[in-house]
């Protein structure tokens, strides 16, 4: 083992920090800092590479990091003595272990920071029962297994401590790993996901308490009263911290590592103090979030992989030799799986949970991860686990976590809701305009809220008996960052509010904005949260829109307005979300190019004064934009201008003419003219244009408005196109792209609409694909 120094030899001399360089005869790998940098780079390359390879298997990143640690250790590459001595010499392991344990302290602090004690008190009986069963049965089987191991490969170890360590190791459920598996499988908002997360949170807390007990029993002192004093002092630390820290936490938060010093002196472990301090951090307000943002990327991206490598250097699969050792590995894996799965399934069935859901819960609760390795590393450091037992337990954790995703996918496939064939109102344009209009508006953060709410206000149609129903979906990306777990605490079943009606959250701007709008406008607003990876969040949008029977999805453009009025890219991947929704949605879709519609605050109904322009060229999408504009014009504070562009057929310069049936357009405009005779807030103009330049000039004349409504494409249209027939933003169409370009000076926001008409436009996929090569420049 690389971590063992040979008996009878002098300890290697300590490394100096930095070298003078190879030109002065120094080998950089003989100095601590260059060697640490090499080790870190190697760790990151291997673990990130494995994570990429495991991505098609939908495995959490922890699998890649555990496997990477084992590969870099004596089980694989470490079989080469020259490699070990060059890259991981024994005198460098102290530095590596120090960095790894420093990362561990911060990780446990973050884990405690994300664990809300109040949520544990709200845990239902079902989740509590599953948690108790998922701990007690595996713990009992772990105790039984410990007797077998002590008689074979673990002779002479501290019996009581070994018994508790085995029980804890087999009964742990990895809360962070479980959250990421659920997010990957899109189960976070299902009944199974919520029960699993609640049960795992309880399991996590109990496991840490048991681990503290195991550590107190694993001291080298032979006196039987010492473990009792360690345990009592640990309890005293928790009580004192609970009483002292909250009032002075702002001061203590800057010195959170000091709690580790206290617990290390007691004899428990520094990480226990970090975990306790993290729990005691107030979860209300921005303080916890600010702490997460400052340290989480460094911890999860750099320090934790080092911890896995540190564990991998202690894991030597070659120590598992002979039939007996492999049989013990099978026994440990079988015991771990049976205890978790059977205990969870039996209790779930007793609570009337369907069999498939019960099996899925059992497999999910069986996942292991970093917490398992923490337990095992402490056990080995305390001489409770020898090298062979340690290797067996690491492989058990790796195997049980690896099989979680495929087993859950095999037994639990949430029935995809049948397509709503009776969902007729998939567009804004409809025969009966007095029916309820359902809109699903998506947003990425508070920046999108003011304009969205002002758009809702303009859309509510004051004369509608059934009115307007808004589904406001907060799109939250689920990543590998630790703070992603905090999202899970906030998520609720789609369609239910994501805030607590009984608690006034003054600091939550989104909550306050929606509450104010709902109370002032009498519009039904139903907020919901989607937590998914950015690559498939469009599935949540499209599925929820169909389930809620919405007529139109409104998405924010991937650019936002800067102070100087120009548009700046927020995130390029938001653009791909919009494109996929356009391609897959079974209803109309609008993309809002926001230039501050109504300003930065909610405009009340009595103060609304908007001038809206519809640019009508003809076709499905333009008719949908016109129908939306007509609905908006019913608001007393809105004036609507409809401009129809007419092109002579012999004119071809810079104009695309597509043959089609103009009868639907003429019928739509005839109804508009009838409405104009009764409503003075609507005006209609026709403009004849002979070239693209004339068309653009006519549009510039109409640019002094608050909002443009345009169709994304047209079946029969005269559209200004660049000569190379490529638009900057294909998802906006040629006209929308023109209005959103830097060359077109206007302060008006733009809503680009694509109408659903039974199938996706045949040119849509081609148009979007054509925009891919220059996507990064946008």
């Amino acid at each position: 083992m690389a971590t063992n120094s040979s008996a009878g030899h002098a300890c290697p001399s300590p490394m100096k920090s930095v070298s003078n360089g190879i030109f002065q005869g120094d080998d950089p790998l003989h100095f601590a800092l260059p060697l640490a940098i090499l080790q870190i780079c190697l760790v990151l390359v291997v673990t990130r590479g494995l994570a990429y390879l495991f991505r098609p298997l939908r495995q959490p990143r922890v699998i890649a990091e555990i496997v990477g640690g084992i590969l870099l250790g004596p089980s694989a590459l470490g079989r080469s003595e020259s490699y070990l001595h060059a890259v991981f010499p024994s005198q460098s392991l102290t530095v590596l272990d120090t960095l790894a344990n420093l990362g561990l302290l911060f990780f446990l602090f973050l884990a405690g920071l994300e664990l809300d004690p109040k949520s544990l008190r709200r845990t239902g009986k079902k989740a509590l029962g599953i948690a108790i069963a998922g701990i007690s049965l595996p713990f009992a089987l772990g105790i039984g297994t410990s007797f077998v191991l002590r008689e074979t490969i673990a002779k002479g170890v501290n019996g009581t401590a070994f018994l508790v360590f085995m029980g804890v190791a087999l009964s742990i459920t990895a809360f962070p790993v479980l959250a990421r598996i659920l997010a990957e499988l899109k189960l976070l908002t299902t009944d199974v996901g919520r029960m699993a997360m609640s049960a795992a949170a309880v399991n996590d807390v109990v496991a840490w308490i048991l681990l503290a007990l195991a550590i107190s029993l694993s001291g080298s002192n032979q006196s039987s009263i010492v473990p009792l004093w360690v345990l009592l002092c640990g309890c005293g630390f928790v009580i004192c911290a609970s009483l002292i820290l909250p009032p002075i936490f702002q001061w203590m938060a800057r010195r959170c590592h000091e709690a580790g010093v206290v617990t290390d002196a007691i004899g428990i472990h520094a990480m226990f103090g970090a975990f306790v301090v993290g729990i005691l951090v107030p979860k209300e307000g921005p303080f916890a979030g600010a702490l997460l943002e400052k340290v989480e990327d460094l911890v999860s991206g750099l320090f934790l992989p080092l911890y896995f490598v540190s564990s991998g250097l202690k894991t030597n699969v070659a120590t598992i030799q002979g039939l007996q050792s492999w049989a013990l590995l099978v026994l440990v894996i079988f015991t771990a799986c049976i205890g978790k799965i059977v205990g969870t399934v039996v209790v779930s069935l007793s609570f009337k949970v369907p069999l498939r859901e019960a099996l899925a819960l059992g497999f999910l609760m069986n996942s292991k991860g970093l917490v398992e390795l923490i337990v095992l590393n402490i056990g080995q450091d305390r001489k409770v686990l020898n090298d062979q037992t340690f290797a067996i337990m690491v492989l058990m954790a790796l195997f049980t976590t690896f099989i979680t995703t495929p087993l859950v996918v095999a037994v639990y496939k949430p029935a995809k809701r049948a397509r709503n064939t009776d969902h007729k109102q998939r567009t804004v344009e409809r025969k009966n305009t007095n029916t309820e209009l359902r809109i699903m508006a998506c947003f990425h953060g508070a920046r999108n809220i003011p304009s969205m709410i002002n758009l809702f206000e303009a859309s509510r149609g004051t004369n509608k008996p059934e009115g307007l129903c808004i589904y406001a979906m907060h799109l939250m990306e689920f990543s590998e960052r630790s703070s992603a777990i905090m999202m899970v605490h906030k998520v609720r079943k789609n369609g239910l509010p994501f805030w607590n009606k009984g608690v006034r959250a003054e600091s939550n701007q989104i909550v306050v904005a929606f509450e104010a709008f709902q109370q002032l406008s009498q519009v039904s607003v139903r907020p919901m949260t989607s937590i998914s990876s950015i690559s498939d969040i469009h599935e949540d949008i499209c599925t929820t829109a169909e389930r809620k029977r919405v007529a139109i999805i409104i998405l924010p453009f991937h650019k936002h307005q800067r102070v100087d009025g120009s548009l700046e890219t927020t995130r390029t991947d938001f653009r791909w979300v919009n494109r996929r929704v356009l391609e897959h949605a079974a209803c109309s879709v609008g993309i809002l190019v926001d230039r501050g519609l109504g300003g930065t605050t909610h405009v009340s109904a009595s103060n609304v004064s908007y001038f809206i322009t519809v640019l009508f060229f003809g076709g499905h999408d333009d008719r949908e934009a016109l129908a939306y504009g007509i609905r908006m014009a019913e608001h007393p504070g809105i004036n609507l201008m409809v401009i129809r562009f007419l092109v002579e057929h012999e004119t071809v310069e810079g104009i695309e003419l597509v043959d089609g049936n103009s009868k639907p357009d003429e019928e739509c405009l005839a109804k508009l003219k009838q409405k104009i005779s009764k409503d003075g807030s609507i005006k209609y103009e026709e403009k004849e244009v002979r070239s693209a330049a004339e068309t653009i000039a006519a549009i510039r004349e109409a640019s002094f408005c608050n909002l443009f409504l345009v169709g994304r494409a047209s079946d029969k249209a005269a559209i200004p196109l660049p000569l190379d027939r490529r638009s900057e933003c294909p998802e906006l169409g040629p006209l929308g792209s023109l209005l959103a370009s830097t060359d077109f000076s206007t302060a008006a926001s733009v809503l680009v609409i694509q109408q659903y008409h039974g199938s996706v436009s045949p040119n849509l996929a081609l148009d979007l694909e054509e925009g891919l090569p220059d996507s990064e420049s946008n």
Side-chain angles (χ1 to χ4, degrees):
M1 291 279 302
T3 55
N4 295 340
S5 19
S6 302
H9 291 275
C11 293
S13 58
M15 284 184 164
K16 293 182 179 179
S17 298
V18 294
S19 71
N20 295 317
I22 57 176
F23 295 108
Q24 297 190 36
D26 286 347
D27 183 350
L29 296 185
H30 291 165
F31 295 82
L33 182 60
L35 184 58
I37 292 174
L38 173 65
Q39 292 171 343
I40 290 171
C41 293
L42 181 62
V43 168
L44 294 180
V45 168
V46 172
T47 55
R48 294 300 173 90
L50 289 172
Y52 180 80
L53 294 177
F54 289 151
R55 188 176 300 169
L57 301 177
R58 306 176 79 175
Q59 293 293 333
R61 198 170 72 184
V62 66
I63 290 290
E65 290 170 336
I66 294 176
V67 173
I70 293 175
L71 291 179
L72 291 174
S75 301
L77 295 177
R79 291 179 178 273
S80 168
E81 290 293 331
S82 58
Y83 157 81
L84 274 184
H85 290 153
V87 182
F88 294 103
S90 56
Q91 61 266 39
S92 74
L93 296 182
T94 301
V95 176
L96 182 64
D97 287 343
T98 301
L99 290 174
N101 281 281
L102 182 63
L104 179 63
L105 287 182
F106 277 105
F107 173 79
L108 267 299
F109 173 71
L110 294 179
L113 194 63
E114 294 176 331
L115 188 62
D116 188 356
K118 295 179 182 178
S119 66
L120 296 180
R121 293 198 295 268
R122 295 192 295 266
T123 301
K125 294 181 181 179
K126 190 183 298 185
L128 184 61
I130 292 172
I132 293 173
I135 294 172
S136 55
L137 184 57
F139 192 89
L141 292 177
I143 291 174
T145 306
S146 69
F147 287 108
V148 177
L149 294 177
R150 284 190 64 201
E151 293 297 323
T152 51
I153 62 173
K155 296 179 179 179
V157 298
N158 185 327
T160 307
F162 183 69
L163 178 148
V164 178
F165 264 102
M166 287 297 299
V168 173
L170 267 63
S171 60
I172 279 178
T173 295
F175 182 81
V177 175
L178 176 62
R180 289 172 174 84
I181 291 175
L182 290 171
E184 178 67 30
L185 299 179
K186 290 190 172 296
L187 297 177
L188 275 174
T189 56
T190 64
D191 291 337
V192 168
R194 290 196 304 277
M195 280 191 290
M197 289 301 296
S198 298
V202 176
N203 190 304
D204 224 26
V205 173
V206 174
W208 287 113
I209 295 173
L210 293 175
L211 179 59
L213 173 63
I215 294 173
S216 67
L217 294 172
S218 62
S220 57
N221 197 302
Q222 299 299 317
S223 174
S224 58
I225 200 172
V226 170
L228 178 61
W229 277 114
V230 172
L231 189 60
L232 291 176
C233 288
C235 295
F237 166 76
V238 174
I239 295 172
C240 291
S242 302
L243 295 175
I244 297 173
L245 289 185
I248 57 172
F249 205 88
Q250 187 173 4
W251 177 86
M252 192 66 179
R254 296 192 296 268
R255 299 163 176 80
C256 58
H257 59 279
E258 291 179 7
V261 175
V262 174
T263 50
D264 225 18
I266 293 172
I268 301 180
H269 197 281
M271 65 169 191
F272 188 73
F275 182 68
V276 170
V277 172
I279 290 179
L280 295 177
V281 172
K283 304 304 185 290
E284 297 79 12
F287 183 54
L291 284 175
L292 282 167
E293 289 186 4
K294 288 182 181 298
V295 298
E296 63 187 351
D297 287 331
L298 182 65
V299 172
S300 62
L302 177 63
F303 284 127
L304 283 186
L306 293 181
Y307 188 83
F308 286 108
V309 170
S310 178
S311 301
L313 292 173
K314 303 171 187 175
T315 306
N316 191 352
V317 178
T319 59
I320 308 176
Q321 297 178 345
L323 182 61
Q324 183 190 64
S325 295
W326 288 105
L328 290 173
L329 173 62
V330 173
L331 173 65
V332 171
I333 293 175
F334 179 79
T335 304
C337 294
I338 289 297
K340 274 289 185 183
I341 297 172
V342 171
T344 302
V345 169
V346 170
V347 173
S348 299
L349 293 175
S350 68
F351 281 108
K352 310 298 182 184
V353 176
L355 178 60
R356 286 183 177 273
E357 292 187 13
L359 286 172
L361 279 170
F363 295 141
L364 288 167
M365 296 297 289
N366 193 41
S367 59
K368 310 293 183 185
L370 176 63
V371 181
E372 176 83 7
L373 287 187
I374 293 172
V375 173
L376 299 180
N377 275 286
I378 293 174
Q380 189 183 49
D381 292 341
R382 297 296 179 103
K383 308 301 182 184
V384 176
L385 304 178
N386 59 25
D387 291 346
Q388 192 172 357
T389 307
F390 181 82
I392 287 175
M393 299 301 290
V394 169
L395 292 181
M396 178 273 291
L398 182 63
F399 178 82
T400 54
T401 306
F402 190 88
I403 64 172
T404 298
T405 297
L407 287 178
V408 172
V409 170
V411 303
Y412 183 69
K413 298 176 181 177
K416 292 186 177 180
R417 294 177 181 260
R419 210 169 180 81
N420 284 324
T421 55
D422 60 336
H423 176 20
K424 305 300 182 184
Q425 309 293 356
R426 298 177 184 269
T427 62
V428 179
E429 184 186 24
R430 58 190 64 176
K431 291 182 179 179
N432 183 4
T433 58
N434 290 323
T435 55
E436 180 187 52
L437 177 64
R438 296 189 175 192
I439 298 175
M440 190 172 84
C442 303
F443 59 94
H444 300 289
R447 181 195 298 272
N448 309 129
I449 300 302
S451 293
M452 283 286 189
I453 289 182
N454 291 331
L455 184 64
F456 301 159
E457 173 62 42
S459 307
R460 65 189 181 97
T462 54
N463 297 324
K464 300 299 182 185
E466 295 190 28
L468 179 67
C469 179
I470 302 293
Y471 294 94
M473 176 175 277
H474 190 183
L475 305 179
M476 302 179 74
E477 181 185 3
F478 194 95
S479 66
E480 291 290 343
R481 297 172 66 178
S482 301
S483 63
I485 309 302
M486 190 166 280
M487 296 182 192
V488 179
H489 296 305
K490 300 178 181 178
V491 76
R492 297 289 185 269
K493 187 177 182 180
N494 277 344
L496 297 180
F498 56 64
W499 68 79
N500 188 337
K501 290 287 187 180
V503 179
R504 183 71 176 177
E506 295 292 342
S507 62
N508 193 326
Q509 300 176 9
I510 296 176
V511 171
V512 173
F514 280 127
E515 283 183 336
F517 174 68
Q518 183 165 273
Q519 292 170 5
L520 293 174
S521 64
Q522 304 301 314
V523 171
S524 174
V525 182
R526 303 179 184 179
M528 57 184 66
T529 304
S530 170
I531 300 180
S532 186
S533 61
I534 204 72
S535 61
D536 55 8
I537 203 167
H538 68 282
E539 296 178 8
D540 290 354
I541 298 172
C542 296
T543 302
T544 306
E546 186 163 8
R547 190 165 68 243
K548 300 302 179 184
R549 303 185 179 190
V550 303
I552 184 170
I553 301 169
I554 296 180
L555 303 165
F557 191 44
H558 72 281
K559 296 182 180 181
H560 68 269
Q561 189 176 34
R562 300 172 60 181
V563 177
D564 60 2
S566 62
L567 293 176
E568 178 183 52
T569 299
T570 306
R571 276 181 56 179
T572 305
D573 44 12
F574 290 165
R575 182 182 190 181
W576 309 127
V577 174
N578 293 351
R579 292 185 175 192
R580 293 185 185 107
V581 173
L582 282 169
E583 188 175 355
H584 298 288
C587 64
S588 295
V589 180
I591 298 179
L592 178 63
V593 181
D594 181 18
R595 289 192 175 101
L597 179 63
T600 59
T601 58
H602 169 215
V603 179
S604 62
S606 59
N607 294 325
V608 169
S609 180
Y610 299 149
F611 191 85
I612 297 175
T613 301
V614 176
L615 303 179
F616 189 89
F617 290 90
H620 289 89
D621 296 351
D622 282 17
R623 292 197 298 272
E624 185 77 350
L626 179 58
Y628 203 143
I630 292 173
R631 181 184 179 94
M632 287 182 163
E634 295 177 2
H635 196 291
I638 291 179
N639 291 298
L640 177 68
M641 169 62 76
V642 180
I643 303 177
R644 184 189 187 188
F645 290 84
L646 300 174
V647 180
E648 296 179 6
H649 287 279
E650 62 270 16
T651 305
V652 294
E653 179 194 350
I655 300 290
E656 178 190 39
L657 295 177
V658 184
D659 293 332
N661 184 7
S662 63
K663 184 177 179 181
D665 293 342
E666 298 301 331
E667 292 176 351
C668 179
L669 292 173
K671 292 179 181 178
L672 171 66
K673 292 172 183 177
Q674 291 178 0
K675 194 171 185 66
I676 290 175
S677 63
K678 303 176 184 178
D679 188 349
S681 65
I682 304 178
K683 290 183 173 56
Y684 174 76
E685 288 185 9
E686 292 185 352
K687 289 184 180 291
E688 293 187 4
V689 290
R690 296 178 177 82
S691 66
E694 285 190 15
T695 307
I696 295 174
I699 296 174
R700 289 187 188 276
E701 291 178 4
S703 63
F704 296 100
C705 61
N706 300 103
L707 176 67
F708 278 109
L709 291 176
V710 298
R712 198 198 74 84
S714 302
D715 301 323
K716 177 186 182 301
I719 304 177
L721 292 174
L723 294 178
D724 62 359
R725 205 183 174 278
R726 291 178 62 86
S727 59
E728 183 183 2
C729 299
E731 69 271 21
L732 298 183
L735 189 55
S737 183
L738 170 69
L739 295 173
S741 69
T742 55
D743 298 330
F744 193 89
S745 177
T746 180
S749 298
V750 184
L751 182 60
V752 181
I753 298 177
Q754 173 184 282
Q755 185 185 61
Y756 175 78
H757 50 94
S759 62
V760 177
S761 170
N763 296 323
L764 175 60
L766 178 61
D767 291 344
L768 297 185
E769 185 177 350
E770 286 179 354
L772 290 177
D774 60 346
S775 62
E776 292 303 322
S777 63
N778 299 330

